[in-house]
Coordinates of all heavy atoms in Angstrom, one line a residue:
M1049 N 9.3 -0.4 15.6 CA 9.5 -0.2 14.1 C 9.2 -1.6 13.4 O 9.5 -2.6 14.0 CB 11.0 0.1 13.9 CG 11.3 0.2 12.4 SD 13.1 0.7 12.1 CE 12.9 2.4 11.9
N1050 N 8.5 -1.5 12.3 CA 8.2 -2.7 11.6 C 9.2 -3.2 10.6 O 10.1 -2.5 10.1 CB 7.0 -2.3 10.7 CG 5.7 -2.1 11.5 OD1 5.5 -2.8 12.5 ND2 4.8 -1.3 11.0
K1051 N 9.1 -4.5 10.4 CA 10.0 -5.1 9.3 C 9.0 -5.2 8.2 O 7.8 -5.6 8.2 CB 10.4 -6.5 9.8 CG 11.2 -7.2 8.8 CD 11.7 -8.5 9.4 CE 12.6 -9.3 8.5 NZ 13.1 -10.5 9.0
I1052 N 9.5 -4.7 7.0 CA 8.6 -4.6 5.8 C 9.1 -5.7 4.8 O 10.3 -5.7 4.4 CB 8.7 -3.2 5.2 CG1 8.2 -2.2 6.2 CG2 7.8 -3.1 3.9 CD1 8.5 -0.7 5.8
L1053 N 8.2 -6.6 4.5 CA 8.6 -7.6 3.5 C 7.7 -7.5 2.3 O 6.5 -7.6 2.4 CB 8.4 -9.0 4.2 CG 9.1 -9.3 5.5 CD1 8.6 -10.5 6.1 CD2 10.6 -9.4 5.2
L1054 N 8.3 -7.4 1.2 CA 7.7 -7.3 -0.1 C 7.3 -8.8 -0.5 O 8.2 -9.6 -0.7 CB 8.5 -6.6 -1.2 CG 7.9 -6.6 -2.6 CD1 6.6 -5.8 -2.6 CD2 8.9 -6.1 -3.6
L1055 N 6.0 -9.1 -0.7 CA 5.5 -10.4 -1.1 C 5.4 -10.5 -2.6 O 5.7 -11.5 -3.2 CB 4.3 -10.8 -0.4 CG 4.3 -10.9 1.1 CD1 2.9 -11.2 1.6 CD2 5.3 -11.9 1.5
S1056 N 4.8 -9.4 -3.3 CA 4.6 -9.5 -4.7 C 4.4 -8.1 -5.2 O 4.0 -7.2 -4.5 CB 3.4 -10.3 -5.1 OG 2.3 -9.7 -4.7
T1057 N 4.7 -8.0 -6.5 CA 4.5 -6.7 -7.3 C 3.7 -7.1 -8.5 O 4.2 -7.9 -9.3 CB 5.8 -6.0 -7.6 OG1 6.5 -5.7 -6.4 CG2 5.5 -4.7 -8.4
E1058 N 2.5 -6.5 -8.7 CA 1.7 -6.8 -9.9 C 1.7 -5.5 -10.7 O 1.4 -4.4 -10.2 CB 0.3 -7.1 -9.5 CG 0.1 -8.3 -8.6 CD 0.6 -9.6 -9.2 OE1 0.4 -9.8 -10.5 OE2 1.1 -10.5 -8.5
Y1059 N 2.1 -5.7 -12.0 CA 2.1 -4.5 -12.9 C 0.8 -4.4 -13.6 O 0.4 -5.3 -14.4 CB 3.3 -4.7 -13.9 CG 4.6 -4.5 -13.2 CD1 5.3 -5.5 -12.6 CD2 5.2 -3.2 -13.2 CE1 6.5 -5.3 -11.9 CE2 6.4 -3.0 -12.6 CZ 7.0 -4.0 -11.9 OH 8.3 -3.8 -11.3
I1060 N 0.2 -3.3 -13.4 CA -1.1 -3.0 -14.1 C -0.8 -2.4 -15.5 O -1.3 -2.7 -16.5 CB -2.0 -2.0 -13.3 CG1 -2.4 -2.7 -12.0 CG2 -3.2 -1.6 -14.1 CD1 -3.0 -1.8 -11.0
S1061 N 0.3 -1.5 -15.4 CA 0.9 -0.9 -16.6 C 2.3 -0.7 -16.3 O 2.7 -0.8 -15.0 CB 0.1 0.3 -17.0 OG 0.5 1.4 -16.1
P1062 N 3.2 -0.2 -17.2 CA 4.6 0.0 -16.8 C 4.8 1.0 -15.6 O 5.8 0.9 -14.9 CB 5.2 0.5 -18.0 CG 4.4 -0.1 -19.2 CD 3.0 -0.1 -18.6
S1063 N 3.8 1.9 -15.4 CA 4.0 2.9 -14.4 C 2.9 2.8 -13.3 O 2.8 3.7 -12.5 CB 3.9 4.3 -15.0 OG 2.6 4.5 -15.6
R1064 N 2.2 1.7 -13.2 CA 1.2 1.5 -12.2 C 1.3 0.1 -11.6 O 1.3 -0.9 -12.4 CB -0.2 1.7 -12.7 CG -0.4 3.1 -13.2 CD -1.8 3.3 -13.8 NE -1.9 4.6 -14.3 CZ -2.9 5.1 -14.9 NH1 -4.0 4.3 -15.0 NH2 -3.0 6.3 -15.4
T1065 N 1.5 0.0 -10.3 CA 1.7 -1.3 -9.7 C 0.9 -1.4 -8.4 O 0.4 -0.5 -7.8 CB 3.2 -1.5 -9.3 OG1 3.6 -0.5 -8.3 CG2 4.1 -1.5 -10.5
I1066 N 0.6 -2.7 -8.1 CA 0.1 -3.0 -6.7 C 1.1 -3.9 -6.0 O 1.5 -4.9 -6.6 CB -1.2 -3.8 -6.9 CG1 -2.3 -3.0 -7.6 CG2 -1.7 -4.2 -5.5 CD1 -3.5 -3.7 -7.9
E1067 N 1.6 -3.4 -4.9 CA 2.5 -4.1 -4.1 C 1.8 -4.8 -2.9 O 1.0 -4.1 -2.2 CB 3.7 -3.2 -3.6 CG 4.5 -2.7 -4.7 CD 5.6 -1.8 -4.2 OE1 5.6 -1.3 -3.1 OE2 6.6 -1.6 -5.0
T1068 N 2.1 -6.0 -2.6 CA 1.6 -6.7 -1.4 C 2.7 -6.8 -0.5 O 3.8 -7.4 -0.8 CB 1.0 -8.0 -1.8 OG1 -0.1 -7.8 -2.7 CG2 0.4 -8.7 -0.6
L1069 N 2.5 -6.3 0.8 CA 3.6 -6.3 1.7 C 3.1 -7.0 3.0 O 1.9 -7.0 3.3 CB 3.9 -4.8 2.1 CG 4.3 -3.9 1.0 CD1 4.4 -2.5 1.6 CD2 5.6 -4.2 0.4
T1070 N 4.0 -7.5 3.8 CA 3.7 -8.0 5.1 C 4.5 -7.0 6.0 O 5.7 -6.8 5.8 CB 4.3 -9.4 5.4 OG1 3.5 -10.3 4.6 CG2 4.1 -9.7 6.9
L1071 N 3.8 -6.4 7.0 CA 4.4 -5.5 8.0 C 4.4 -6.3 9.3 O 3.4 -6.8 9.7 CB 3.6 -4.2 8.1 CG 3.3 -3.5 6.9 CD1 2.5 -2.2 7.2 CD2 4.6 -3.0 6.3
A1072 N 5.5 -6.5 9.9 CA 5.7 -7.3 11.1 C 6.5 -6.6 12.2 O 7.5 -5.9 11.8 CB 6.4 -8.6 10.8
N1073 N 6.1 -6.7 13.4 CA 6.8 -6.2 14.5 C 6.9 -7.4 15.5 O 6.5 -8.5 15.1 CB 6.3 -5.0 15.2 CG 4.9 -5.1 15.7 OD1 4.4 -6.2 16.0 ND2 4.1 -4.1 15.7
Q1074 N 7.4 -7.1 16.7 CA 7.5 -8.2 17.7 C 6.2 -8.8 18.1 O 6.2 -10.0 18.5 CB 8.3 -7.7 18.9 CG 9.7 -7.3 18.5 CD 10.5 -6.7 19.7 OE1 9.9 -6.5 20.8 NE2 11.7 -6.5 19.5
K1075 N 5.1 -8.1 18.0 CA 3.8 -8.5 18.5 C 2.8 -9.0 17.4 O 2.0 -9.8 17.7 CB 3.1 -7.5 19.3 CG 4.0 -7.0 20.5 CD 3.2 -5.9 21.2 CE 4.0 -5.3 22.3 NZ 3.4 -4.2 22.9
D1076 N 2.9 -8.5 16.3 CA 1.9 -8.7 15.2 C 2.4 -8.6 13.8 O 3.5 -8.1 13.6 CB 0.8 -7.6 15.4 CG -0.5 -7.8 14.8 OD1 -0.7 -8.9 14.3 OD2 -1.3 -6.8 14.7
S1077 N 1.6 -9.1 12.9 CA 2.0 -8.9 11.5 C 0.7 -8.6 10.7 O -0.4 -9.1 11.1 CB 2.7 -10.1 10.9 OG 1.9 -11.2 10.8
R1078 N 0.8 -7.9 9.6 CA -0.3 -7.5 8.8 C 0.0 -7.6 7.3 O 1.1 -7.2 6.9 CB -0.9 -6.1 9.2 CG -1.4 -6.0 10.5 CD -2.0 -4.7 10.7 NE -2.8 -4.7 12.0 CZ -3.6 -3.8 12.3 NH1 -3.9 -2.8 11.5 NH2 -4.2 -3.9 13.5
L1079 N -1.0 -8.0 6.5 CA -0.8 -8.0 5.1 C -1.5 -6.7 4.6 O -2.6 -6.4 5.0 CB -1.6 -9.1 4.5 CG -1.3 -9.5 3.1 CD1 0.1 -9.8 2.8 CD2 -2.3 -10.6 2.6
V1080 N -0.7 -5.9 3.8 CA -1.3 -4.6 3.3 C -1.0 -4.5 1.8 O -0.2 -5.3 1.2 CB -0.7 -3.4 4.0 CG1 -1.1 -3.4 5.5 CG2 0.7 -3.3 3.8
H1081 N -1.7 -3.6 1.1 CA -1.5 -3.4 -0.4 C -1.3 -2.0 -0.6 O -1.9 -1.1 -0.1 CB -2.7 -3.9 -1.2 CG -3.1 -5.3 -0.8 ND1 -2.6 -6.4 -1.3 CD2 -4.1 -5.7 0.2 CE1 -3.1 -7.5 -0.7 NE2 -4.0 -7.1 0.1
I1082 N -0.3 -1.7 -1.5 CA -0.1 -0.3 -2.0 C -0.3 -0.2 -3.4 O 0.3 -0.9 -4.3 CB 1.4 0.1 -1.7 CG1 1.8 -0.2 -0.2 CG2 1.7 1.5 -2.0 CD1 1.0 0.6 0.8
Y1083 N -1.1 0.7 -3.8 CA -1.3 1.1 -5.2 C -0.4 2.2 -5.6 O -0.5 3.3 -5.0 CB -2.8 1.4 -5.6 CG -3.0 1.9 -7.0 CD1 -2.6 1.1 -8.1 CD2 -3.6 3.1 -7.2 CE1 -2.8 1.5 -9.4 CE2 -3.9 3.5 -8.5 CZ -3.5 2.7 -9.6 OH -3.7 3.1 -10.8
N1084 N 0.5 2.0 -6.5 CA 1.5 3.1 -6.9 C 1.1 3.6 -8.2 O 1.2 2.9 -9.2 CB 2.9 2.4 -6.9 CG 4.0 3.4 -7.3 OD1 3.7 4.5 -7.9 ND2 5.2 3.0 -7.3
Y1085 N 0.7 4.8 -8.3 CA 0.2 5.5 -9.5 C 1.4 6.4 -10.0 O 1.6 7.5 -9.5 CB -1.0 6.3 -9.2 CG -1.5 7.0 -10.5 CD1 -2.2 6.3 -11.5 CD2 -1.3 8.4 -10.6 CE1 -2.7 7.0 -12.5 CE2 -1.7 9.0 -11.8 CZ -2.5 8.3 -12.7 OH -2.9 8.9 -13.9
E1086 N 2.1 5.9 -10.9 CA 3.2 6.6 -11.6 C 4.2 7.2 -10.7 O 4.9 8.2 -11.1 CB 2.6 7.7 -12.5 CG 1.7 7.1 -13.5 CD 1.1 8.2 -14.5 OE1 1.3 9.4 -14.3 OE2 0.4 7.8 -15.5
G1087 N 4.5 6.6 -9.5 CA 5.5 7.0 -8.6 C 5.2 8.4 -7.9 O 6.0 8.9 -7.2
N1088 N 4.0 8.9 -8.2 CA 3.6 10.2 -7.6 C 2.5 10.2 -6.6 O 2.3 11.1 -5.9 CB 3.1 11.2 -8.8 CG 4.2 11.4 -9.8 OD1 5.4 11.7 -9.4 ND2 3.9 11.4 -11.0
H1089 N 1.8 9.1 -6.6 CA 0.6 8.9 -5.7 C 0.5 7.5 -5.2 O 0.6 6.6 -6.0 CB -0.7 9.4 -6.4 CG -1.7 9.6 -5.4 ND1 -1.9 10.7 -4.7 CD2 -2.8 8.8 -4.9 CE1 -2.9 10.7 -3.9 NE2 -3.5 9.4 -4.0
F1090 N 0.5 7.3 -3.9 CA 0.5 6.0 -3.3 C -0.7 5.9 -2.4 O -1.0 6.7 -1.6 CB 1.8 5.8 -2.4 CG 3.0 6.0 -3.2 CD1 3.6 7.2 -3.3 CD2 3.6 4.9 -3.8 CE1 4.8 7.4 -4.0 CE2 4.8 5.0 -4.5 CZ 5.4 6.3 -4.6
R1091 N -1.6 4.8 -2.7 CA -2.7 4.6 -2.0 C -2.5 3.4 -1.1 O -2.1 2.3 -1.6 CB -4.0 4.4 -2.9 CG -4.4 5.7 -3.5 CD -5.5 5.4 -4.6 NE -6.1 6.6 -5.1 CZ -5.7 7.1 -6.3 NH1 -4.7 6.6 -7.0 NH2 -6.3 8.2 -6.7
F1092 N -2.9 3.4 0.2 CA -2.7 2.4 1.1 C -4.0 1.6 1.4 O -5.0 2.3 1.8 CB -2.1 3.0 2.4 CG -2.0 2.0 3.6 CD1 -0.9 1.2 3.6 CD2 -3.0 1.8 4.6 CE1 -0.7 0.3 4.7 CE2 -2.9 0.9 5.5 CZ -1.7 0.2 5.6
F1093 N -4.0 0.3 1.3 CA -5.1 -0.5 1.6 C -4.8 -1.5 2.7 O -3.8 -2.3 2.5 CB -5.6 -1.2 0.3 CG -6.0 -0.3 -0.8 CD1 -5.0 0.1 -1.7 CD2 -7.3 0.2 -0.9 CE1 -5.3 1.0 -2.7 CE2 -7.6 1.1 -1.9 CZ -6.6 1.5 -2.8
D1094 N -5.6 -1.6 3.7 CA -5.3 -2.5 4.8 C -6.0 -3.9 4.6 O -5.9 -4.7 5.4 CB -5.6 -2.0 6.1 CG -7.0 -1.5 6.3 OD1 -7.8 -1.7 5.4 OD2 -7.3 -1.1 7.4
S1095 N -6.8 -4.0 3.5 CA -7.4 -5.3 3.2 C -7.6 -5.4 1.7 O -7.6 -4.4 0.9 CB -8.8 -5.3 3.8 OG -9.7 -4.5 3.1
Y1096 N -7.7 -6.7 1.3 CA -7.9 -7.0 -0.2 C -9.2 -6.4 -0.6 O -9.4 -5.9 -1.7 CB -7.7 -8.4 -0.4 CG -7.8 -8.9 -1.8 CD1 -6.7 -8.5 -2.7 CD2 -8.8 -9.6 -2.4 CE1 -6.7 -8.8 -4.0 CE2 -8.8 -9.9 -3.7 CZ -7.7 -9.5 -4.5 OH -7.7 -9.9 -5.8
L1097 N -10.3 -6.5 0.3 CA -11.6 -6.0 -0.1 C -11.6 -4.5 -0.4 O -12.3 -4.1 -1.3 CB -12.6 -6.4 1.0 CG -12.9 -7.8 1.2 CD1 -13.8 -8.0 2.3 CD2 -13.5 -8.4 -0.1
S1098 N -10.9 -3.7 0.4 CA -10.8 -2.3 0.1 C -10.1 -2.0 -1.2 O -10.4 -1.0 -1.9 CB -10.2 -1.5 1.3 OG -8.9 -2.0 1.5
L1099 N -9.1 -2.8 -1.5 CA -8.4 -2.6 -2.8 C -9.3 -2.9 -4.0 O -9.4 -2.2 -4.9 CB -7.2 -3.6 -2.8 CG -6.4 -3.6 -4.2 CD1 -5.7 -2.3 -4.4 CD2 -5.4 -4.7 -4.1
I1100 N -10.1 -4.0 -3.9 CA -11.1 -4.4 -4.9 C -12.1 -3.3 -5.0 O -12.6 -2.8 -6.1 CB -11.8 -5.7 -4.6 CG1 -10.7 -6.8 -4.6 CG2 -12.9 -6.0 -5.5 CD1 -10.0 -7.0 -5.9
A1101 N -12.7 -2.8 -3.9 CA -13.7 -1.7 -3.9 C -13.1 -0.4 -4.6 O -13.9 0.3 -5.3 CB -14.1 -1.3 -2.4
F1102 N -11.8 -0.1 -4.5 CA -11.2 1.0 -5.2 C -11.3 0.8 -6.6 O -11.7 1.7 -7.4 CB -9.8 1.2 -4.7 CG -9.0 2.2 -5.5 CD1 -9.3 3.5 -5.4 CD2 -8.1 1.8 -6.4 CE1 -8.6 4.4 -6.2 CE2 -7.3 2.6 -7.2 CZ -7.6 4.0 -7.0
F1103 N -11.0 -0.4 -7.1 CA -11.0 -0.6 -8.6 C -12.3 -0.8 -9.2 O -12.6 -0.3 -10.3 CB -10.1 -1.7 -9.0 CG -8.6 -1.4 -8.9 CD1 -7.8 -1.8 -7.9 CD2 -8.0 -0.6 -9.9 CE1 -6.5 -1.5 -7.8 CE2 -6.7 -0.3 -9.9 CZ -5.9 -0.7 -8.8
Q1104 N -13.2 -1.4 -8.5 CA -14.6 -1.7 -9.0 C -15.5 -0.5 -8.8 O -16.4 -0.3 -9.6 CB -15.1 -3.0 -8.4 CG -14.5 -4.2 -8.9 CD -15.1 -5.5 -8.4 OE1 -15.9 -5.5 -7.4 NE2 -14.8 -6.6 -8.9
E1105 N -15.4 0.1 -7.6 CA -16.5 1.1 -7.3 C -15.9 2.5 -7.1 O -16.6 3.5 -6.9 CB -17.2 0.7 -6.0 CG -17.9 -0.6 -6.2 CD -18.4 -1.2 -4.8 OE1 -18.7 -0.3 -4.0 OE2 -18.5 -2.4 -4.8
G1106 N -14.6 2.7 -7.3 CA -13.9 4.0 -7.2 C -13.9 4.6 -5.7 O -13.7 5.8 -5.5
I1107 N -14.0 3.7 -4.7 CA -14.0 4.1 -3.4 C -12.5 4.3 -2.9 O -11.7 3.4 -2.9 CB -14.6 3.0 -2.4 CG1 -16.1 2.9 -2.8 CG2 -14.5 3.5 -0.9 CD1 -16.8 1.7 -2.0
E1108 N -12.2 5.6 -2.7 CA -10.9 6.0 -2.3 C -10.5 5.5 -0.9 O -11.4 5.5 0.0 CB -10.7 7.5 -2.3 CG -10.7 8.1 -3.7 CD -9.4 7.9 -4.4 OE1 -8.4 7.7 -3.8 OE2 -9.4 7.9 -5.7
P1109 N -9.3 5.1 -0.7 CA -8.9 4.7 0.7 C -8.7 5.9 1.6 O -8.6 7.1 1.1 CB -7.5 4.0 0.4 CG -7.0 4.7 -0.8 CD -8.2 5.0 -1.6
E1110 N -8.7 5.7 2.9 CA -8.6 6.8 3.8 C -7.2 7.3 3.9 O -7.0 8.5 4.2 CB -9.0 6.3 5.2 CG -10.5 6.1 5.3 CD -10.9 5.6 6.7 OE1 -10.1 5.8 7.6 OE2 -12.0 5.0 6.8
I1111 N -6.2 6.5 3.5 CA -4.8 6.8 3.6 C -4.1 6.8 2.2 O -4.2 5.8 1.5 CB -4.1 5.9 4.6 CG1 -4.7 5.8 6.0 CG2 -2.6 6.2 4.7 CD1 -4.3 4.8 6.8
S1112 N -3.5 8.0 1.9 CA -2.7 8.0 0.7 C -1.6 9.0 0.9 O -1.6 9.8 1.8 CB -3.6 8.5 -0.5 OG -4.1 9.8 -0.3
F1113 N -0.6 8.9 0.0 CA 0.6 9.7 0.1 C 1.0 10.2 -1.2 O 0.8 9.6 -2.2 CB 1.7 8.8 0.7 CG 1.4 8.1 2.0 CD1 0.8 6.9 2.0 CD2 1.6 8.8 3.2 CE1 0.5 6.3 3.2 CE2 1.2 8.2 4.4 CZ 0.7 7.0 4.4
S1114 N 1.7 11.4 -1.2 CA 2.2 12.0 -2.4 C 3.7 11.8 -2.6 O 4.2 12.2 -3.6 CB 1.8 13.5 -2.5 OG 2.4 14.1 -1.4
S1115 N 4.4 11.0 -1.7 CA 5.7 10.7 -1.9 C 6.0 9.4 -1.3 O 5.4 9.0 -0.4 CB 6.6 11.8 -1.3 OG 6.7 11.7 0.1
E1116 N 7.1 8.8 -1.8 CA 7.5 7.4 -1.3 C 8.1 7.6 0.1 O 7.9 6.7 0.9 CB 8.5 6.8 -2.3 CG 8.7 5.4 -2.1 CD 9.4 4.7 -3.2 OE1 9.8 5.3 -4.2 OE2 9.6 3.4 -3.0
K1117 N 8.7 8.7 0.4 CA 9.2 8.9 1.7 C 8.2 9.0 2.8 O 8.3 8.4 3.9 CB 10.1 10.2 1.8 CG 11.4 10.1 1.2 CD 12.2 11.4 1.4 CE 13.5 11.3 0.8 NZ 14.3 12.5 1.0
E1118 N 7.0 9.7 2.5 CA 5.9 9.7 3.4 C 5.4 8.3 3.6 O 5.1 8.0 4.7 CB 4.8 10.6 2.8 CG 5.1 12.0 2.8 CD 4.0 12.8 2.1 OE1 2.9 12.2 1.9 OE2 4.2 14.0 1.8
L1119 N 5.2 7.5 2.6 CA 4.7 6.2 2.6 C 5.6 5.3 3.5 O 5.2 4.6 4.4 CB 4.6 5.6 1.3 CG 4.2 4.1 1.2 CD1 2.9 3.8 1.8 CD2 4.4 3.6 -0.2
D1120 N 6.9 5.4 3.3 CA 7.9 4.6 4.1 C 7.8 4.9 5.5 O 7.9 4.0 6.4 CB 9.3 4.8 3.5 CG 9.6 4.2 2.1 OD1 8.7 3.4 1.7 OD2 10.5 4.6 1.5
R1121 N 7.7 6.2 5.9 CA 7.7 6.6 7.3 C 6.4 6.0 7.9 O 6.4 5.5 9.1 CB 7.7 8.1 7.5 CG 9.1 8.6 7.4 CD 9.1 10.1 7.6 NE 8.6 10.6 6.3 CZ 8.8 11.9 5.9 NH1 9.3 12.8 6.7 NH2 8.4 12.2 4.7
F1122 N 5.3 6.0 7.2 CA 4.0 5.5 7.7 C 4.1 4.0 7.9 O 3.7 3.4 8.9 CB 2.9 5.8 6.7 CG 1.6 5.2 7.1 CD1 0.8 5.7 8.1 CD2 1.2 4.0 6.4 CE1 -0.4 5.1 8.4 CE2 0.0 3.4 6.7 CZ -0.8 3.9 7.7
L1123 N 4.7 3.3 6.9 CA 4.8 1.8 7.0 C 5.7 1.4 8.2 O 5.4 0.3 8.8 CB 5.3 1.2 5.7 CG 4.4 1.4 4.5 CD1 5.2 0.9 3.2 CD2 3.1 0.7 4.7
E1124 N 6.7 2.1 8.5 CA 7.6 1.7 9.5 C 6.9 1.7 10.9 O 7.2 0.9 11.8 CB 8.8 2.7 9.6 CG 9.8 2.6 8.5 CD 10.9 3.6 8.5 OE1 10.8 4.5 9.3 OE2 11.7 3.5 7.7
D1125 N 5.8 2.5 11.1 CA 5.1 2.6 12.3 C 3.7 2.1 12.3 O 3.0 2.2 13.3 CB 5.1 4.1 12.8 CG 6.4 4.6 13.0 OD1 7.3 3.9 13.5 OD2 6.7 5.8 12.7
Y1126 N 3.2 1.4 11.3 CA 1.9 1.1 11.1 C 1.3 0.0 12.0 O 0.3 0.2 12.6 CB 1.5 0.6 9.6 CG 0.1 0.3 9.5 CD1 -0.9 1.2 9.5 CD2 -0.3 -1.0 9.3 CE1 -2.2 0.9 9.3 CE2 -1.6 -1.4 9.1 CZ -2.6 -0.5 9.1 OH -3.9 -0.8 9.0
C1127 N 2.0 -1.1 12.2 CA 1.4 -2.3 12.9 C 1.0 -1.9 14.4 O 1.4 -1.2 15.1 CB 2.5 -3.3 13.0 SG 1.9 -4.8 12.2

């Protein structure tokens, strides 16, 4: 199980955010980004470059969620 640490939350608009998280377990840690679209759709980015590609070129991430519960379950086991 991962330890999830919120590093920052950037507000694009009142209902759209980008959260930067550190996911850490006993062996490893990773920096990830979550784009929260109005609390209804969450896109997961494992690199800053993929996040930039999404906004500049419209390249969708491979992993997305339609609920915060789904996202939380995924983050707990990601590392």
Side-chain angles (χ1 to χ4, degrees):
M1049 180 181 263
N1050 287 327
K1051 184 175 183 180
I1052 302 169
L1053 303 168
L1054 176 64
L1055 298 178
S1056 69
T1057 301
E1058 302 296 326
Y1059 287 86
I1060 298 169
S1061 73
S1063 60
R1064 296 178 186 178
T1065 62
I1066 298 171
E1067 295 179 344
T1068 301
L1069 309 169
T1070 297
L1071 304 179
N1073 62 27
Q1074 294 175 353
K1075 299 177 185 176
D1076 196 13
S1077 68
R1078 292 187 173 194
L1079 189 66
V1080 300
H1081 308 279
I1082 307 296
Y1083 174 55
N1084 177 349
Y1085 179 80
E1086 298 183 353
N1088 297 319
H1089 194 82
F1090 302 87
R1091 290 175 172 96
F1092 174 84
F1093 301 92
D1094 62 358
S1095 73
Y1096 188 67
L1097 291 176
S1098 62
L1099 176 65
I1100 296 299
F1102 171 72
F1103 283 104
Q1104 289 185 344
E1105 301 171 26
I1107 299 172
E1108 287 287 334
E1110 293 180 20
I1111 302 170
S1112 64
F1113 304 93
S1114 57
S1115 78
E1116 196 166 358
K1117 283 185 179 183
E1118 291 175 10
L1119 172 63
D1120 289 344
R1121 279 182 281 200
F1122 173 80
L1123 293 176
E1124 287 175 355
D1125 297 325
Y1126 180 70
C1127 240

